[in-house]
Amino acid sequence: MRRSILVFAALAIATAACAPSVPGQSSSQSAAPANADRLTIGTTADVVNYNPLVGNSRTDSWVTNLMYPHLTQMDESGKRVPYLATEWSYSDDGKSATVKLRDDMKWSDGKPVTADDVVFSVTTVQKEKFGVVAGLITALDKAEAVSPTEVRFALKRPDGTFLDNVGFWLPVVPKHVFEKAPSVQKFANDADWVSAGPFKLTKVERGQRYIMQRVDDFGPGRPAVKEIVFRVFPDVNTEVLALRNGEIDLIGNVLPPATATELKNDPKVTLQQIPSLGWAHLQYNTKRKPLDDVRVRQALAQAVDYEAIRNIALKGFAKSSNSSVLTPSLPDYVDPSSKEYVFDPEQSKKLLAEAGVSNLSLSMIYDQADPNIARWAPMVRDSAKKAGITIKLQGLERNTYLDKTLKRDFDIYAGSWAVMDNPPANLGLAFKTGGFINYAQVSDPKLDDLIDQAQRALSPADAKAPIQEAARIIHDQVYDNVLYVETFNIAHSTKWTGFKPMPSELLSILNPLSLAAAKPAG
């Protein structure tokens, strides 16, 4: 008997739950109600790439996610819920996987969305090896259309992360359009769009706005609003002014904590809070002395005032993960036994003495344009000083920061993961020997083996034990020093309601099924 992960679930639109609004906000405080003719969203960037298999900026994703379906979506707790797919499962030996599709979705030129489109999309990424998905489907041998509504994936090895990865991350594109390009990776897809989401792109005025019209026969359900307009602003501050003036209905970008605090008492604004699927952290270069000594890394972990960072720099819009890479955002995996490192300068000094290290001086790189990290980096420096550790801050222009990160050219790396949605898959990328984003250059055979065990498991329940043990090694060896999980604030006019949030800054309430469900309040 095959092991079914999710079977015959109801429409995703009906299953997602609303995130709590900030206390004190009420739609009854709004002025005249909005009408369903138009929802205007503020963004701070133009679309760079209309090819959903390639483009990955926030604005790219917000727009193309409304045009191209994925097999699955995610509910507020991080669980996968149906979108184009209705059910999905692995074979008993884990070497094949099957997905069944809806039969009521059409491309905008009238052709049905079928298994051939799914096979083409995943096979193209596999063949041309580009984008995030390529690194997540390495177990794929071959995809085939069993029928117009069923796809079978043959796998080279059992991989319980495969369906999550291909379902959530792969946009499905129209085969009959994209196959005409000599290289799909180089296909601009910048005109005459053929799409199958809840809205279709109809007009572009670069630097100004992007207009999208409702798809009346959208399979999962007709959107309430007729038109979505993305307006381009230079920064979040001007977006806030526009929201307060009634020029826009929703700010796409996450609000800086200080701005969210200011907007709490605005009667025209609702703040919707979204959990992060990533975390902010410090990583120590384990290939550099004395950072190759776990006692030195533990001394650094005990020289950080975590509570002060969350309360002062993040204004309380952050949670502890108890120094674990298994965060509260993914309750299927979280380990309640994990304990956060305590800010203890004296214990830090003791550990350094045991390691024979004195006058420790290190540099720490960070993106100077990141407003959160720019606030807490000096706090890390100052708390470490109490333990006798000197940290020299290197706030860098983003491209320089990324270049040093990719070259592993740092003592301490300060940053944040955006989306870590599947621990067995993500920990493989971040902590396995040679992992694509293994910035700390961790190489631990026992950790590698545990992550491999978790990836072979065909359900979260079976992956839980080995991935929790892996997370405990990461904690104890300080292969990653997790500072906090941010609580994102998204602001919209009290004239609107019905948004369906998903965790992460990228998805928030701008995901396609959320915007299809949005409606005027009252």
Side-chain angles (χ1 to χ4, degrees), residues 12 35 59-60 85 118 143 154 163 195 198 237 250 255 324 349 359-360 368 392 411 432 448 465 469 475 486:
N35 67 60
T59 304
D60 289 2
V118 177
L163 284 172
S195 59
N237 291 331
L250 165 64
L255 299 177
S324 174
K349 291 176 183 176
N359 300 318
L360 181 60
Q368 63 185 3
K392 300 172 184 175
D411 293 329
K432 273 190 66 176
D448 290 349
E469 188 174 350
H475 172 284
E486 187 171 357

Side-chain angles (χ1 to χ4, degrees), residues 31-69:
N35 67 60
D37 287 345
R38 175 180 293 179
L39 175 70
T40 304
I41 302 168
T43 182
T44 53
D46 277 293
V47 174
V48 176
N49 197 322
Y50 294 95
N51 185 335
L53 296 171
V54 178
N56 60 6
S57 78
R58 288 186 184 88
T59 304
D60 289 2
S61 297
W62 289 337
V63 171
T64 59
N65 279 347
L66 295 179
M67 302 166 66
Y68 300 97

Side-chain angles (χ1 to χ4, degrees), residues 126-200:
Q126 179 192 36
K127 180 181 176 182
E128 297 191 26
K129 299 186 186 306
F130 63 91
V132 174
V133 179
L136 295 171
I137 59 169
T138 56
L140 177 64
D141 181 21
K142 182 181 179 182
E144 61 175 337
V146 178
S147 75
T149 57
E150 184 170 338
V151 181
R152 182 178 299 144
F153 302 96
L155 305 180
K156 300 172 186 173
R157 61 181 184 277
D159 182 358
T161 72
F162 177 81
L163 284 172
D164 269 6
N165 290 334
V166 76
F168 177 68
W169 286 101
L170 178 75
V172 178
V173 298
K175 175 176 183 285
H176 61 285
V177 175
F178 278 59
E179 70 179 351
K180 296 174 183 175
S183 165
V184 171
Q185 183 178 2
K186 296 178 181 177
F187 179 43
N189 189 38
D190 54 0
D192 301 323
W193 297 282
V194 175
S195 59
F199 296 92
K200 57 185 179 182

Side-chain angles (χ1 to χ4, degrees), residues 378-440:
M379 298 175 70
V380 172
R381 176 197 61 197
D382 295 345
S383 61
K385 190 174 182 180
K386 294 178 181 177
I389 301 170
T390 299
I391 293 181
K392 300 172 184 175
L393 301 183
Q394 287 188 296
L396 304 171
E397 181 272 331
R398 182 164 179 78
N399 287 334
T400 304
Y401 164 75
L402 293 176
D403 184 60
K404 281 184 168 289
T405 300
L406 293 174
K407 291 178 178 175
R408 280 58 168 170
D409 181 17
F410 59 83
D411 293 329
I412 304 174
Y413 158 88
S416 59
W417 301 124
V419 178
M420 301 290 267
D421 62 309
N422 184 314
N426 302 141
L427 297 193
L429 292 173
F431 301 107
K432 273 190 66 176
T433 302
F436 181 65
I437 52 175
N438 182 356
Y439 300 151

